[in-house]
């Protein structure tokens, strides 16, 4: 049994912490939201009064927080409150699973190393469903020895663990993956709206594209129309899954990386602008596949 501290017990962190409890670990958690603490306690997580208290006796510290600034503030501390790095045992393993910029991830690694800690960045793919079912994919950046140390804990929360290389490379893989995903969902949604205009049923288009060269995860797992994929959010009024606000955030991180590296990526930048507007217009709380409704609303011309 390993003592694990879990900081950030929201929609993703809560189920992840619960799966660590199921795996037999002693998990102490902290979150600023009372409802998150209540749910975590019901799943067997011991609740600490502060984040610093949660990590004091931990061998492994996992963070799942909203943004890079939250991660760095948690590591370094704010005001009179000591940060996680100052409160943790020397040599503890930090697993940073938030989705943040590559630069922030590398800064977190530097801070951990300077404090005598071991660390990996390990963002996830798979959404709330994957977090609950322990089928997440972890994309891990860090030294080989630290990756190997983290792997058993990540395996309690996910079904695929990929070492992507040096510190920050887990985040690099995450934003590249979601650049593909966001762009693909827009293309899939446009195709279904076009198919409707041309007289195709959604099922007919799905039956063709899902077994032809248009096949992709956005189509076969997260299909944006009700019917063809029973488990897709389209069948439950686009309750997320993976929220539009999170897709907008991740694509924003991708655009930051595009700009810092000088990569020319017209489709990626357009996808980011589309999802940023979608979130601003009230779609942030819906599954990102609800972008199809925006496309329908804009497609007012009747077919001939």
């Amino acid at each position: 049994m390993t003592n694990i501290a879990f900081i950030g017990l929201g929609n993703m962190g809560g189920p992840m912490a619960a799966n660590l409890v199921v795996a037999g670990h002693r998990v102490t958690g902290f979150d600023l939201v009372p409802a998150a603490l209540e749910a975590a306690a019901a799943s067997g997580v011991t609740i600490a009064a502060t984040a610093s208290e949660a990590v004091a006796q931990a061998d492994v510290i996992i963070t799942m927080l909203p943004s890079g600034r939250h991660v760095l503030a948690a590591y370094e501390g704010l005001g009179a409150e000591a940060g996680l790095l100052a409160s943790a045992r020397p040599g503890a393993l930090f697993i940073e699973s938030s989705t943040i910029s590559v630069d922030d991830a590398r800064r977190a690694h530097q801070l951990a190393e300077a404090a005598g800690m071991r660390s990996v960045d390990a963002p996830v793919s798979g959404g709330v469903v994957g977090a609950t079912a322990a089928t997440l994919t972890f994309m891990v950046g860090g030294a080989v020895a630290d990756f190997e140390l983290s792997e058993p804990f990540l395996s309690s929360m996910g079904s695929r663990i990929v070492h992507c290389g040096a510190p920050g490379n887990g985040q690099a893989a995450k934003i590249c993956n979601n650049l593909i995903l966001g762009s693909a969902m827009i293309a899939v949604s446009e195709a279904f709206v076009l198919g409707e205009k041309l007289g195709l049923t959604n099922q007919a288009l799905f039956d063709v594209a899902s077994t032809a060269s248009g096949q992709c995860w956005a189509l076969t797992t997260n299909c944006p129309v009700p019917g063809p994929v029973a488990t897709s959010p389209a069948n439950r009024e686009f309750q997320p899954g993976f929220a539009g606000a999170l897709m907008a955030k991740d694509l924003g991180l991708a655009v930051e990386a595009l700009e810092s590296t000088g990569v020319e990526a017209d489709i990626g930048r357009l996808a980011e602008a589309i999802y940023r507007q979608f979130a601003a217009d009230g779609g942030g709380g819906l599954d990102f596949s609800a972008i199809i409704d925006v496309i329908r609303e804009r497609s007012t011309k009747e077919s001939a």
Side-chain angles (χ1 to χ4, degrees), residues 125-257:
S125 179
V128 175
V129 172
T132 302
T135 57
L136 294 169
T137 293
F138 284 90
M139 297 146 273
V140 187
V144 172
D146 294 340
F147 167 72
E148 292 174 348
L149 186 63
S150 70
E151 193 169 13
F153 308 108
L154 299 178
S155 294
S156 296
M157 301 180 286
S159 58
R160 183 163 174 76
I161 320 299
V162 181
H163 187 215
C164 299
N169 279 14
Q171 295 293 349
K174 173 68 184 286
I175 63 174
C176 289
N177 178 78
N178 280 11
L179 183 63
I180 296 169
L181 177 59
S183 301
M185 182 55 77
I186 292 169
V188 168
S189 297
E190 289 176 346
F192 272 105
V193 174
L194 176 60
E196 291 165 0
K197 291 287 188 180
L198 294 173
L200 281 172
T201 66
N202 290 332
Q203 188 66 53
L205 178 56
F206 178 85
D207 289 345
V208 171
S210 63
T211 57
S213 54
Q215 191 278 329
C216 61
W217 189 94
L219 173 67
T220 57
T221 299
N222 218 72
C223 186
V225 295
V229 178
T231 56
S232 75
N235 291 293
R236 53 177 193 272
E237 298 182 342
F238 293 109
Q239 298 174 28
F242 184 58
L246 294 178
M247 178 56 78
K249 170 197 167 185
D250 288 4
L251 291 177
L253 293 174
V255 167
E256 287 181 20

